[in-house]
Every structure is written in structure tokens, then in C-alpha cells.
């Protein structure tokens, strides 16, 4: 078992003929992910990856033809909201949006619309999902993680890679790694994923990687204290970040005194979570 | 991106929000001329992108054009919270009967815009929120429906606005909503919205923050950015699509990914060092971008050592190595550099840098400790 993606995932790639879309589709297929279709409006009828993956003009047409049950989005920020609406309207239950830089007002409209449809959105501005040995949906390098029993959830990309890699170096594997993304308004939050890990029989322990901005880590701490039986280890990035400055991610900003790393660490510690001083310390806290 | 008061008010005015007559001036003589045109008492308001201008003495009332010139001379010579005053707004003075707060921002937890109002306007709203939260009304706006008229009436009723003003208040609330929506604002705020003694509602002060991610569809707003108000290195970084923030330490950092960049700063501090900057070169950065990043880092005279921490995913370590070599050729850095390359094409990257006289590291902790030691030895 694992969460969200596995061997039964039938993946559709939106923006498959673009530079990034094509590169990462190649990587996902090489990893063993079942990529059943691509969508690029105007390029329906073409094939990519030496005739392995058919391209369709719309998500609806692609779903009708291939029964895709998950979509990953690689289209540029100005078109990504439309891509998310389109995937939701075509009835795809899991949408993973990798795209970075989507305006927050667009994301509020997307999120409020998708909530009416009971669609799970992961991201945007995220590295996607990886169930080691089964499927990779997004851009997490496949070779930095091995299968195992640790669930990983994170707001960051390369920082997550550090943690997976440090775990692999001591022979520790992951059940599923979920990158929820660094934007202030996204589809899936820590609590959603913690709940899934709590119910997943393969997952025995959880790593939660947070950062400054917002209050999702504090809410997650409350959930962990009240609802979780599995041990959780954490790391919070941005302890030295100055207030009022957006630290790369649109969501990583200390505003009006809220969202500091020290508040988050205090909340997590109080909930019984062991918080690492730096990411490479995580494997030893998991032992 | 922050807009100045005068820019925000001009935008509000476009959407039907009444603002005082006035113009912006860069010199005291211009200020005097504007005061002559307006006639009567005027307010001279420093235009800097920080709060607390009034408390700092950057807002003064002048009774005539001569006093306007004197006060403008004084204010234009001021520095407020480290920012030199380069412009003043000269507005007609209002006779204030009451001050109201009205603002729209994004509630990230609720994933919806939120409109807030209070009869206790004119002061720092965060202070009101902290001390007397019951004096603020907050209503979420459905982003798919927009602000509805009944919501504006609910607000007017909560703040005990006399009914005579409800129609105008509704127009102002809707105008503010339109300004927020059309300009991709993350904050659109009128503080204070005043009732004048001659019974008009006027937005005396305005503040807007614009979503940087949305600037691709607002070239007019992008041009309003006041480059005088930010560090030149940050302007330069934006040109290359780099995310850069200057800090006070002495160890320069170049990292791919925002979370990892923050972590690299944190870990330097953990081992007794002080980061000189936050710098995320982003995903898939090529040699040219890396070279620009290095020039920006080394333009800071405080930098005594540089830490390169690259975890290759989309970013290829060999590309980064080529950028480092190209920039070293050009800049001829004299400070020690610690480099850690992991992931995609890391081996090729390391080979390229083998002759570059750089300190190499395997783990993040190792890299941070070596960078701290190098900076302390310098």
C-alpha cells in the first residue's frame, strides 16, 4: 500500500509536448509510471516517446479514450488555472499541478471551484508525488528514494530531495512522498496527507517538512496531538528568515508577526513531534 | 510588490473611490505650486514604502503655500526607517468628523478574500485586531461570486455607519473590491476612510500590495515599481529571474529551491555563521543565470566566503559548474568558496570544478561547517 499514487495510476500529462512536460514524461515512463495520455490543445493525433503515448486535444477526449485517473500539469502559469478547471470538469479525481508562479487570486477561484467537485488537487508549485518502486507523478528524481515505511510530506521541493536522499543513504525508504507545494493557496494541506498516512498500513512513521508562512504547521500539530498514533518527525525551514520578505515561495513569508519558524517548532514540539535541527538529522530521529 | 500611497489612491479613484485633490511632488517648489493650485490648507505626506510615516514626522499640515514649501523641504530631507524620502504627496486637507478602516486581503487559511472594516480607523489596524478584535468586522468573499451588495450593507451596519452614507459606502466598498480584483492585489486598504464635516466619504490614505506572480498580466503596474526603494542587487536579480534577498551576514549563498535556500541559511547560523543573502536560482537554471547570481553575491563587500549548495533534479549540476567557472573567469573572486553538488550530473559537475580551487563537501552539514570556518579565517 501507499497513498495517492501506485501501480494502478493511469496518468495523463497536460502540457506533454512542452519542454518540461516532455522531459519529465520521459523520466516518469522510465521510472515505470503508467502514462496513458498527453494533452496539448492543437496537437491531438500526434504521439510522443516514439509512439508510446498518444496526444489529445482536450482532457475530456483523452479520458474518454484512455480512462486516465490522474492528471499532472506542466503548463505555464498563465494557462495552468484553465488546465486545472479542465481536468476537474473531465472528472479526473486526482490533479497534480507542478506549475510555479500562479497568481493567488486565480488559485482561490480554482480551489473554491474544485471543492464543489470533490477533486483532490496536489500543488501547485510542487514537485509532485513519488511512491518508490511503483509510480512517480511529477519531478522528484526517482533514484534518490527507495521503497519503505516512512511517509514524507513537504511544502518544499529540493529540501524534500535532501531528506529522501539522507534516508536512502542509511537504507531507509519511503511509502509515498507528497510535495504539497510552496504557495499560500493550494489544494492539499498537511492534515489531508497526515490523515492518509495515518490510515495507510504500509506507513509506520511520518516526516513533515514545513517552512515559514501561514499557520498550516500549527494546525497540523493540533491534528497530530489529537488524531495521530504514528510517530511524526519534522523540520521547519526559515528560522533565519527576516519578516515581511517573501523567501522565494509565494507562501513563505512572515506577515504581521505570524508564520515564524519558532512558533511552528514550539507547536510541533508541544504535540510530541521531534523537530530536527537540520534535514540530515531526520534519519537518526526516525530510528 | 508595494505601491506608494499616491499610486494606490489613483488606482482606487479609477474605480470610483473618492480621494482628496492633490498631486505628487519631488521638490519643495513643486509642492508650493501644488498648494497654490489647491488653495487653503494642504497635507504634505512623505511617499516611502513603510508604515508609521505619521509617527516619524513624515506627514504635516500646512496652512498656506509658503508653509507647504517649508514643510516639504524638511520632509524631503528626511529618512524614514532607513528609506530616504524622495517624493511628497500634496493633498487638500480634510475636516474630519470620523475615521473608518476598510480593507480587502487574502485569507490564506480560508482560501478566500476577506473584507474587513472598523469604526476605529486611522490607527494601525493590526493593533486594533490585537487589543480590541470585537471592533473589527470580517466577512469572507466567495471568489467565484465577488463582493455582494448585501455584504457591504452588513459591514455598514456593523460599524454603525449612519444610513445616509450607506449608498456611498456601498459604492466605495465595491470600488475597492474592483481595484483589488482588477489589479491582482493581495491587499487593498483605505485607512482612514473619513466622514468629513461637510458629510462626504473620502479615502484619505491608501495602500496596495500587488501579487508578484500576477505582474505578467499587469505591465502598467510593473512599471510603477519604485526601484529607489529596494537594494540594487535585488533589482539586478529580478532581471535574471533569480529570487534574492540581501541579509546582514558575511557568507554568500547560492542554492536551488526556496526551501533548501532557507535551510542553507539556517544551517549556517546553526554552526555559528551568518548568511549574507537568500538566493534561489530556481529549477533548471543554466550557466548564464548561475554566473549572474555569482556576480550579485560577490558585489556585496561583506561577503567573506560563498556556499554553493545544489541538489540536482531538473537543475543539472554540470550546468551549474559551467556557470560557476564562467563567472569566476569574469569576476576573479578572492573569497574562499565551498561547493556541494548532489543529484543529476553531480559527478560531471565535480570533475569540471576539480581544478577550480574550491572547497568541496559531501553533506549539507559538512558544507555549512566548511563555509563558516572559511569565513571566520578570512
Amino acid at each position: 500500500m501507499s497513498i495517492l499514487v501506485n501501480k494502478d495510476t493511469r496518468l495523463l500529462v497536460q502540457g506533454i509536448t512542452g519542454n518540461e512536460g516532455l522531459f519529465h514524461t520521459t523520466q516518469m515512463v522510465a521510472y515505470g509510471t503508467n502514462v496513458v495520455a498527453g494533452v496539448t490543445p492543437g496537437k491531438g493525433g500526434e504521439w510522443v516517446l516514439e509512439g508510446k503515448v498518444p496526444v489529445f486535444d482536450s482532457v475530456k477526449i483523452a479520458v474518454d479514450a484512455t480512462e486516465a485517473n490522474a492528471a499532472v500539469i506542466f503548463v505555464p502559469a498563465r494557462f495552468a488555472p484553465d488546465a486545472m478547471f479542465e481536468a476537474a470538469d473531465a472528472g479526473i479525481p486526482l490533479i497534480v499541478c507542478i506549475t510555479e508562479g500562479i497568481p493567488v487570486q486565480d488559485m482561490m477561484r480554482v480551489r473554491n471551484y474544485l471543492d464543489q467537485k470533490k477533486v483532490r488537487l496536489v500543488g501547485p508549485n510542487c514537485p509532485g508525488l513519488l511512491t518508490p518502486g511503483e509510480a512517480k507523478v511529477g519531478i522528484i528524481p526517482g533514484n534518490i528514494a527507495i521503497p519503505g515505511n516512512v511517509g514524507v510530506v513537504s511544502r518544499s521541493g529540493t529540501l524534500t530531495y535532501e531528506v529522501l536522499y539522507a534516508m536512502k543513504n542509511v537504507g531507509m525508504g519511503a511509502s509515498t512522498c507528497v510535495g504539497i507545494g510552496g504557495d499560500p493557496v493550494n489544494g492539499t494541506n498537511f492534515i489531508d496527507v497526515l490523515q492518509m498516512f495515518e490510515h495507510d498500513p504500509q506507513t509506520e512513521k511520518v516526516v513533515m517538512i514545513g517552512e515559514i508562512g501561514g499557520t498550516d504547521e500549527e494546525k497540523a500539530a493540533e491534528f497530530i496531538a489529537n488524531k495521530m498514533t504514528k510517530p511524526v518527525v519534522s523540520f521547519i525551514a526559515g528560522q533565519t528568515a527576516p519578516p515581511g520578505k517573501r523567501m522565494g515561495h509565494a507562501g513563505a513569508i512572515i506577515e504581521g508577526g505570524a508564520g515564524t519558524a519558532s512558533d511552528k517548532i514550539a507547536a510541533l514540539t508541544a504535540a510530541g513531534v521531534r523537530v530536527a535541527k537540520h534535514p540530515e538529522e531526520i534519519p537518526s530521529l526516525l530510528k | 510588490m508595494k505601491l506608494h500611497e499616491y499610486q494606490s489612491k489613483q488606482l482606487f479613484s479609477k474605480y470610483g473611490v473618492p480621494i482628496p485633490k492633490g498631486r505628487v511632488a519631488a521638490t519643495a517648489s513643486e509642492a508650493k505650486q501644488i498648494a497654490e493650485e489647491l488653495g487653503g490648507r494642504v497635507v504634505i505626506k512623505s511617499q516611502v514604502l513603510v508604515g508609521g510615516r505619521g509617527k516619524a514626522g513624515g506627514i504635516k499640515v500646512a496652512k498656506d503655500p509658503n508653509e507647504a514649501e517649508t514643510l516639504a523641504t524638511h520632509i524631503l530631507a528626511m529618512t524614514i526607517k532607513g528609506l530616504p524620502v524622495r517624493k511628497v504627496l500634496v493633498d487638500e486637507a480634510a475636516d474630519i468628523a470620523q475615521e473608518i478602516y476598510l480593507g480587502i486581503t487574502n485569507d490564506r487559511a480560508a482560501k478566500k478574500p476577506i473584507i474587513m472594516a472598523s469604526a476605529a480607523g486611522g490607527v494601525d489596524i493590526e493593533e486594533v485586531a490585537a487589543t480590541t478584535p470585537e471592533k473589527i468586522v470580517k466577512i469572507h468573499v466567495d471568489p467565484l461570486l465577488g463582493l455582494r451588495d448585501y455584504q457591504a450593507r452588513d459591514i455598514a451596519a456593523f460599524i454603525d455607519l449612519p444610513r445616509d452614507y450607506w449608498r456611498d459606502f456601498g459604492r466605495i466598498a465595491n470600488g475597492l473590491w474592483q481595484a483589488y480584483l482588477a489589479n491582482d492585489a493581495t491587499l487593498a486598504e483605505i485607512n482612514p476612510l473619513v466622514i468629513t464635516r461637510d458629510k462626504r466619504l473620502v479615502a484619505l490614505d491608501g495602500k496596495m500590495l500587488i501579487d508578484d506572480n500576477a505582474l505578467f498580466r499587469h505591465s502598467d503596474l510593473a512599471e510603477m515599481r519604485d526601484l529607489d526603494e529596494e537594494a540594487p542587487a535585488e533589482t539586478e536579480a529580478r532581471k535574471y529571474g533569480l529570487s534574492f534577498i540581501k541579509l546582514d551576514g558575511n557568507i554568500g549563498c547560492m542554492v536551488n529551491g526556496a526551501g533548501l535556500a532557507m535551510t542553507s541559511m539556517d544551517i549556517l547560523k546553526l554552526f555559528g555563521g551568518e548568511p549574507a543573502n537568500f538566493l534561489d536560482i530556481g529549477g533548471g537554471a543554466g550557466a548564464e543565470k548561475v554566473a549572474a547570481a555569482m556576480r550579485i553575491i560577490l558585489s556585496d563587500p561583506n561577503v567573506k566566503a560563498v556556499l554553493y549548495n545544489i541538489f540536482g533534479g531538473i537543475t543539472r549540476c554540470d550546468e551549474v559548474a559551467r556557470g560557476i567557472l564562467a563567472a569566476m573567469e569574469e569576476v576573479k573572486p578572492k573569497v574562499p568558496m565551498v561547493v556541494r553538488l548532489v543529484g543529476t550530473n553531480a559527478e560531471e559537475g565535480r570533475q569540471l570544478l576539480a581544478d577550480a580551487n574550491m572547497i568541496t563537501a559531501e553533506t549539507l552539514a559538512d558544507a555549512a561547517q566548511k563555509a563558516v570556518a572559511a569565513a571566520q579565517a578570512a
Side-chain angles (χ1 to χ4, degrees):
Chain A
M1 283 289 283
S2 53
I3 65 167
L4 294 166
V5 290
N6 56 33
K7 282 197 170 1
D8 300 326
T9 299
R10 297 174 60 79
L11 186 66
L12 173 153
V13 180
Q14 291 175 262
I16 195 166
T17 55
N19 267 342
E20 280 201 40
L22 199 56
F23 174 79
H24 289 292
T25 303
T26 311
Q27 304 280 315
M28 290 188 287
V29 169
Y31 193 76
T33 312
N34 187 14
V35 178
V36 298
V39 170
T40 298
K43 298 207 171 169
E46 295 182 14
W47 291 74
V48 294
L49 269 62
E50 282 110 38
K52 280 202 207 91
V53 181
V55 181
F56 298 87
D57 281 319
S58 83
V59 179
K60 174 137 190 4
I61 300 168
V63 170
D64 287 346
T66 65
E67 292 175 14
N69 59 14
V72 62
I73 294 173
F74 285 104
V75 307
R78 65 178 72 206
F79 308 117
D82 196 58
M84 287 183 269
F85 288 130
E86 185 184 1
D89 279 345
I92 293 197
L94 174 66
I95 303 168
V96 180
C97 185
I98 307 301
T99 309
E100 178 179 354
I102 301 173
V104 66
Q105 290 195 10
D106 284 341
M107 272 319 298
M108 290 193 291
R109 286 186 281 267
V110 168
R111 176 63 201 265
N112 281 270
Y113 183 73
L114 263 56
D115 279 352
Q116 299 167 9
K117 297 253 168 188
K118 306 284 174 222
V119 170
R120 164 121 347 258
L121 170 69
V122 177
N125 189 14
C126 80
L129 310 166
L130 176 68
T131 294
E134 294 198 34
K136 137 179 157 102
V137 173
I139 64 174
I140 301 174
N143 59 359
I144 59 168
I146 52 175
N149 59 19
V150 180
V152 178
V153 56
S154 173
R155 274 171 73 185
S156 161
T158 48
L159 175 55
T160 316
Y161 307 168
E162 285 282 359
V163 174
L164 290 171
Y165 184 68
M167 283 166 52
K168 182 189 172 185
N169 282 342
V170 297
M172 207 174 263
S175 52
T176 299
C177 174
V178 183
I180 60 173
D183 276 4
V185 173
N186 60 9
T188 294
N189 64 24
F190 283 127
I191 294 178
D192 298 326
V193 182
L194 290 172
Q195 201 154 20
M196 288 185 249
F197 280 139
E198 176 71 12
H199 294 133
D200 171 41
Q202 184 187 336
T203 303
E204 290 174 13
K205 299 165 186 175
V206 177
V207 175
M208 179 179 121
I209 302 160
E211 62 188 27
I212 55 162
T215 52
D216 278 4
E217 288 82 0
E218 286 88 334
K219 285 179 193 143
E222 202 181 314
F223 178 84
I224 291 164
N226 297 327
K227 300 279 169 69
M228 280 196 75
T229 59
K230 297 177 183 177
V232 181
V233 168
S234 182
F235 174 74
I236 303 294
Q239 297 174 41
T240 49
K245 295 276 188 180
R246 166 181 158 169
M247 305 303 279
H249 289 160
I253 179 167
I254 298 168
E255 290 166 304
T260 66
S262 54
D263 285 354
K264 292 172 191 295
I265 292 169
L268 288 164
T269 307
V273 175
R274 300 178 72 189
V275 182
K277 288 195 195 67
H278 61 83
E280 286 162 340
E281 204 185 56
I282 285 176
S284 66
L285 296 184
L286 283 168
K287 276 184 184 149
Chain B
M1 182 182 107
K2 289 180 187 169
L3 294 186
H4 281 295
E5 175 196 357
Y6 76 93
Q7 295 167 326
S8 306
K9 282 183 353 195
Q10 276 165 9
L11 281 173
F12 293 166
S13 166
K14 262 176 64 181
Y15 298 93
V17 175
I19 60 170
K21 280 191 200 120
R23 277 211 326 273
V24 76
T27 64
S29 58
E30 268 180 79
K32 181 183 182 185
Q33 196 194 330
I34 297 167
E36 277 165 357
E37 287 166 24
L38 293 171
R41 290 188 314 135
V42 294
V43 192
I44 314 287
K45 307 178 86 175
S46 55
Q47 299 296 294
V48 283
L49 296 174
V50 288
R53 292 173 298 160
K55 275 184 202 152
I59 299 176
K60 297 272 191 232
V61 179
K63 61 182 184 306
D64 58 43
N66 284 331
E67 196 183 14
E69 186 177 27
T70 314
L71 289 171
T73 306
H74 174 68
I75 292 173
L76 282 166
M78 286 175 74
T79 297
I80 299 176
K81 295 184 185 169
L83 293 172
V85 179
R86 291 188 168 86
K87 286 184 278 269
V88 291
L89 175 62
V90 184
D91 266 357
E92 61 180 359
D95 275 325
I96 302 168
Q98 195 198 332
E99 296 184 298
I100 295 164
Y101 172 91
L102 183 65
I104 300 171
T105 187
N106 300 329
D107 181 349
R108 60 192 281 180
K111 327 258 179 227
K112 287 184 168 79
I114 189 169
I115 182 163
M116 298 176 291
S118 173
V123 292
D124 182 0
I125 198 68
E126 276 166 14
E127 209 172 296
V128 179
T131 52
T132 49
E134 71 281 0
K135 288 190 179 163
I136 302 178
V137 58
K138 297 179 176 185
I139 296 180
H140 282 117
V141 179
D142 186 322
L144 301 170
L145 290 179
L147 182 74
R148 311 302 307 182
D149 290 345
Y150 78 88
Q151 293 179 308
R153 287 195 297 272
D154 279 352
I155 291 168
F158 179 92
I159 61 172
D160 288 327
L161 190 70
R163 286 209 185 97
D164 293 350
Y165 295 101
W166 282 22
R167 183 192 287 258
D168 283 346
F169 181 80
R171 285 196 190 118
I172 289 169
N174 188 56
L176 187 66
W177 168 258
Q178 296 301 335
Y180 158 88
L181 197 65
N183 297 290
D184 272 293
T186 56
L187 174 75
E189 185 180 81
I190 305 172
N191 189 23
L193 172 67
V194 301
I195 304 177
T196 61
R197 294 202 186 280
D198 56 355
K199 301 196 184 315
R200 289 177 302 128
L201 281 169
V202 183
L204 278 204
D205 200 349
K207 183 176 173 185
M208 268 184 119
L209 303 179
I210 306 298
D211 182 355
D212 287 317
N213 282 349
L215 289 176
F216 69 81
R217 57 190 176 203
H218 301 289
S219 53
D220 52 331
L221 294 177
E223 279 168 20
M224 288 186 188
R225 191 188 290 274
D226 189 344
L227 298 177
D228 288 335
E229 300 255 333
E230 66 181 11
E234 292 179 16
T235 312
E236 180 74 4
R238 189 169 339 98
K239 217 167 75 189
Y240 288 94
L242 300 161
S243 182
F244 174 88
I245 292 165
K246 187 177 168 350
L247 302 167
D248 297 331
N250 60 9
I251 303 173
C253 305
M254 190 196 296
V255 187
N256 65 322
L260 190 55
M262 274 188 274
T263 303
S264 302
M265 288 159 45
D266 294 348
I267 197 166
L268 283 172
K269 184 117 178 170
L270 181 68
F271 290 116
E274 287 289 343
N277 64 276
F278 165 93
L279 196 159
D280 171 14
I281 57 170
E288 194 195 345
K289 211 165 164 180
V290 172
M294 187 159 161
R295 284 197 302 271
I296 290 164
I297 291 174
L298 292 171
S299 68
D300 178 354
N302 293 337
V303 168
K304 296 281 180 281
V306 183
L307 168 65
Y308 298 87
N309 184 29
I310 305 297
F311 202 112
I314 331 178
T315 306
R316 289 164 41 191
C317 291
D318 57 329
E319 270 291 312
V320 173
R322 279 191 197 94
I324 294 175
L325 288 176
M328 283 174 81
E329 192 65 31
E330 184 192 320
V331 189
K332 307 239 185 294
K334 294 185 181 62
V335 300
M337 308 214 233
V338 179
V339 62
R340 171 179 180 252
L341 302 174
V342 190
T344 311
N345 295 357
E347 197 41 52
E348 291 90 327
R350 283 189 210 116
Q351 275 166 17
L352 282 168
L353 295 179
D355 300 325
N357 193 25
M358 300 176 91
I359 306 163
T360 57
E362 289 292 319
T363 66
L364 185 49
D366 182 34
Q369 280 166 309
K370 282 176 173 163
V372 173
Q376 280 166 355

